[in-house]
Amino acid sequence: MKLAKEKDWRIASEIELFYKTKVKLSERPQIDSSESVYKLALKFWDPNKIEFFEQFKILLLNQSNIVLGFYEVSKGGITGTFVDLRLLFTAALKANATALIMLHNHPSGKILPSPSDRLITKKVKEAGIVLDIKVIDHLIITPESYYSFADNDYL
């Protein structure tokens, strides 16, 4: 006999996934180079924060490298931020992205990647292979310049 207040362990929450957009496909930018990514990033990055603290974002793309959206994965301190792969790929999967580009800023103004920048690039690329989501590039940006891992043959 079950008590009325007792919860049935077989009941689970329903999970529903969907992607909602307000921008027509024909109106979205298409990525064709690291420079086009950099120019787009400067448009959506808050100029008051780019030299203040580190932020890590992803640009989500469809099969034709058309932008599906941007997602801020994390924000941190002056010298770094933590990237949770589960949150990063949750956004990519929910947007039905087939590719992504990682972006983060260096408040110091230096664009060369640190060992931790190289490590997160490797980890995201490996996880993307498992999930069949291609990691096209990782850009380190400042207001004046950028570093592309793909252009420097790191991806």
Side-chain angles (χ1 to χ4, degrees):
M1 199 187 299
K2 239 191 231 184
L3 296 174
K5 291 182 179 179
E6 209 175 294
K7 299 287 183 191
D8 187 344
W9 63 269
R10 294 172 289 176
I11 296 176
S13 298
E14 180 180 351
I15 298 172
E16 184 178 358
L17 299 176
F18 62 93
Y19 172 70
K20 182 171 54 174
T21 182
K22 296 176 183 172
V23 181
K24 293 178 185 176
L25 188 65
S26 62
E27 296 173 353
R28 296 182 200 165
Q30 185 171 23
I31 299 303
D32 59 7
S33 67
S34 61
E35 184 179 4
S36 66
V37 174
Y38 176 65
K39 287 178 180 178
L40 189 59
L42 289 180
K43 288 181 182 178
F44 75 84
W45 217 283
D46 184 340
N48 297 317
K49 296 177 182 176
I50 197 166
E51 294 180 286
F52 188 54
F53 61 88
E54 198 165 305
Q55 296 173 284
F56 192 100
K57 302 180 184 197
I58 54 173
L59 179 62
L60 301 166
L61 306 170
N62 72 8
Q63 189 92 14
S64 301
N65 287 347
I66 293 175
V67 175
L68 297 172
F70 293 100
Y71 176 69
E72 183 176 281
V73 178
S74 67
K75 54 186 170 186
I78 297 168
T79 59
T81 188
F82 176 76
V83 177
D84 189 324
L85 293 183
R86 294 166 294 188
L87 293 175
L88 186 152
F89 281 104
T90 295
L93 291 167
K94 189 169 182 178
N96 208 23
T98 58
L100 66 84
I101 296 172
M102 298 176 283
L103 303 118
H104 81 278
N105 63 310
H106 276 180
S108 68
K110 295 179 182 178
I111 58 169
L112 292 178
S114 68
S116 61
D117 294 337
R118 292 186 187 279
L119 179 61
I120 195 62
T121 302
K122 182 181 177 196
K123 286 174 72 173
V124 173
K125 182 179 177 182
E126 289 172 355
I129 290 168
V130 172
L131 295 169
D132 201 22
I133 297 174
K134 186 175 181 182
V135 176
I136 295 176
D137 205 345
H138 181 178
L139 267 64
I140 298 170
I141 69 167
T142 70
E144 297 176 7
S145 63
Y146 70 96
Y147 175 92
S148 162
F149 280 76
D151 290 353
N152 287 280
D153 295 323
Y154 192 78
L155 278 172

